[in-house]
Amino acid sequence: MTMTPPAFQTLLLDVDARGVARLTLNRPDTHNALNAMLIAELRKAADWLAGEKGLRAVVLTGAGATFCAGGDLGWMQQNMKKTREQRVAESFELALMLRALNELPMPLIGRVNGPAYGGGVGMISVCDVSVAVNTGSYCLTEVRLGLIPANISPYVVARMGEANARRTFLTAKRMSAAEARRLGLVSEVVPTAELDAAVERELADLLQCAPGAVAATKKLVTYVDSHDLPTSMIYGADKLADAWETDEGREGIEAFFAKRSPAWRKR
């Protein structure tokens, strides 16, 4: 598979032969803190990834020893000097970037290579699966700075639940990797030397699955989480009928009875 991703100043993006993209936050000198350029480039990258046919998954990680230190304080200081309208616009760019990553049609796997604070916890929370090193620590630091975890809150609350979000948001409680897993923030915790192998295990499972069905299922989860049961029943019945009519649906059933691998399965 040959794809030519766009070039970035604050990101690294490449795609391997399996159709797995690796998206790396590349500001290690600032611990991959989010500034205006990184936010804009992440949104641009998400738009490119969403539009590329043949991509099966995206792995999100950070360069250096930190996953993401949250909002760049220099960027925040600059925003304090702007008009209210400009500050709202800057804040909304962050919201749009998080939504774009959250709504990628293919799974987003977090390779959490180190600590994450503030917006970095939000970046973990938009991942479908996240594997973290056991030495990492996590903290929603905003209230310590007199700020609020505004744009990341929908994703962190969805990931951890309201009760856990209240505790961690309101006290800026620092979490170990083990506690982050217990609270649902990360999916798996491993020693640093085993991080890549653990990510590859997630990818190995994913590459057995039909990409169109995975994308539809990702939308299904979002839909049923925000609708009542009767509405979700109607939606589910309609979408399953759609799935039976797709090339993937026909291929999957035919392959099962023929005792062969379907076309999308990677080994």
Side-chain angles (χ1 to χ4, degrees):
M1 175 175 296
T2 302
M3 294 184 185
T4 305
F8 299 103
Q9 295 185 50
T10 61
L11 291 173
L12 300 175
L13 177 58
D14 59 80
V15 181
D16 69 20
R18 302 171 297 176
V20 175
R22 188 180 180 102
L23 181 62
T24 304
L25 310 179
N26 192 33
R27 300 186 72 220
D29 54 325
T30 66
H31 301 280
N32 301 316
L34 298 165
N35 66 357
M37 180 175 287
L38 179 52
I39 290 167
E41 291 195 333
L42 278 166
R43 187 178 172 196
K44 181 179 178 182
D47 289 344
W48 183 84
L49 291 163
E52 264 325 281
K53 295 190 181 300
L55 281 179
R56 302 290 297 273
V58 180
V59 176
L60 176 66
T61 192
T66 302
F67 177 71
C68 178
D72 186 297
L73 292 179
W75 171 63
M76 294 185 188
Q77 186 178 43
Q78 292 171 6
N79 286 336
M80 297 294 286
K81 301 174 184 177
K82 296 180 179 179
T83 66
R84 175 170 179 80
E85 290 74 16
Q86 290 171 325
R87 288 196 293 269
V88 170
E90 287 281 326
S91 178
F92 199 60
E93 286 300 314
L94 174 57
L96 290 170
M97 179 272 286
L98 292 166
R99 181 174 180 176
L101 288 175
N102 188 64
E103 295 182 355
L104 283 174
M106 69 289 294
L108 180 62
I109 298 176
R111 179 188 178 273
V112 187
N113 56 300
Y117 305 110
V121 176
M123 296 290 287
I124 295 173
S125 297
V126 298
C127 293
D128 300 293
V129 178
S130 52
V131 183
V133 295
N134 58 6
T135 55
S137 60
Y138 311 93
C139 186
L140 281 308
T141 52
E142 286 84 353
V143 293
R144 290 185 181 177
L145 297 171
L147 302 173
I148 64 173
N151 292 306
I152 66 172
S153 60
Y155 310 105
V156 181
V157 173
R159 182 69 55 194
M160 298 171 57
E162 182 186 356
N164 291 327
R166 283 180 184 240
R167 185 185 184 198
T168 54
F169 279 159
L170 302 181
T171 66
K173 173 183 170 57
R174 186 178 295 270
M175 296 170 275
S176 66
E179 185 167 15
R181 184 172 188 271
R182 182 179 66 80
L183 297 180
L185 176 62
V186 298
S187 312
E188 184 178 0
V189 173
V190 297
T192 301
E194 299 176 18
L195 179 60
D196 287 327
V199 170
E200 283 300 316
R201 286 195 296 272
E202 296 291 341
L203 289 170
D205 287 340
L206 173 63
L207 294 174
Q208 303 300 301
C209 304
V214 168
T217 299
K218 190 167 175 177
K219 288 184 177 179
L220 173 71
V221 172
T222 301
Y223 187 92
V224 300
D225 187 54
S226 58
H227 292 78
D228 61 22
L229 178 58
T231 305
S232 294
M233 289 169 63
I234 295 168
Y235 180 89
D238 185 63
K239 294 305 176 184
L240 180 55
D242 287 348
W244 283 332
E245 297 167 6
T246 63
D247 291 340
E248 281 187 354
R250 286 189 286 270
E251 165 70 2
I253 297 299
E254 289 173 7
F256 176 82
F257 284 107
K259 298 183 179 179
R260 62 173 174 82
S261 293
W264 59 77
R265 190 155 295 165
K266 305 290 186 181
R267 296 193 181 278

